[in-house]
Amino acid sequence: SIMIISERQSEGLDTYEVSSQSSNDSYIVAIDEDNACFCSCPDFIYRRSRDEHKYKEVCVGDTDRYCKHLLEVFKSFKGGAV
């Protein structure tokens, strides 16, 4: 299962290290003060590359553009709000 390994909050940016569900890898999830979201996993990168709005930031509420790592961070740390 996916687990949050670590959390770091700094001014304007929250970052989380999140485990992979299928390997020993981990990925970085970042959410900035403007609610732009990023994950370093291949699924997130692929979704953005296939999206017609690929240069548009993924923001809180763009749930169809989330990967499972972003969803886990929202479930665990953001009160379940996606």
Side-chain angles (χ1 to χ4, degrees):
S1 71
I2 298 173
M3 295 175 48
I4 308 293
I5 298 169
S6 66
E7 169 190 14
R8 176 179 288 153
Q9 295 179 328
S10 60
E11 190 172 321
L13 184 67
D14 296 342
T15 57
Y16 307 87
E17 184 179 5
V18 183
S19 68
S20 170
Q21 187 173 8
S22 58
S23 72
N24 290 330
D25 294 334
S26 64
Y27 304 107
I28 300 299
V29 170
I31 304 168
D32 73 13
E33 62 188 4
D34 296 323
N35 288 325
C37 305
F38 174 81
C39 182
S40 63
C41 77
D43 181 46
F44 184 83
I45 303 300
Y46 177 77
R47 285 175 190 238
R48 284 198 63 188
S49 73
R50 302 281 299 167
D51 192 334
E52 66 183 72
H53 305 292
K54 64 182 164 187
Y55 298 110
K56 179 181 176 251
E57 292 177 333
V58 175
C59 293
V60 173
D62 292 338
T63 55
D64 59 329
R65 299 173 74 201
Y66 286 0
C67 62
K68 57 191 163 211
H69 308 101
L70 266 171
L71 290 171
E72 182 64 27
V73 165
F74 280 106
K75 184 176 87 174
S76 299
F77 288 99
K78 301 294 185 182
V82 292

